[in-house]
Amino acid sequence: LLKVKEVCEIFHISKPTIYDWLKQGRLKSIKIRSRRYFHWHDVEQLINESKVNPLQGQAVKQIPAHR
């Protein structure tokens, strides 16, 4: 599972953007107590759908395969 901060770093976006993506259905999360977590598979799927970050127009940082 990935934390919000880790997903923000992967996509070079802010926390409010992550929450916007959740509302838009672009990304799914799991809520454990008061924290949100993301499955690696869901993040990887979003990367594969768009190799360019639509908010900044920059290539998404390549991430090594999940162990």
Side-chain angles (χ1 to χ4, degrees), residues 9 18 41 57 66:
E9 290 172 359
I18 289 287
H41 175 76
H66 188 50

Side-chain angles (χ1 to χ4, degrees), residues 5-42:
K5 182 178 178 183
E6 293 169 321
V7 176
C8 288
E9 290 172 359
I10 290 167
F11 288 104
H12 304 284
I13 58 175
S14 65
K15 285 183 182 181
T17 301
I18 289 287
Y19 294 111
D20 286 343
W21 287 7
L22 287 168
K23 289 177 191 173
Q24 296 166 6
R26 292 183 69 187
L27 199 54
K28 295 183 238 172
S29 70
I30 298 169
K31 193 169 185 180
I32 301 174
R33 298 197 183 202
S34 63
R35 298 184 184 263
R36 292 203 177 266
Y37 296 93
F38 302 86
H39 280 287
W40 167 251
H41 175 76
D42 294 331

Side-chain angles (χ1 to χ4, degrees), residues 46-62:
L46 187 56
I47 290 169
N48 290 333
E49 287 174 6
S50 175
K51 293 290 183 179
V52 174
N53 183 337
L55 297 175
Q56 297 176 359
Q58 299 175 356
V60 174
K61 177 177 155 183
Q62 293 297 320

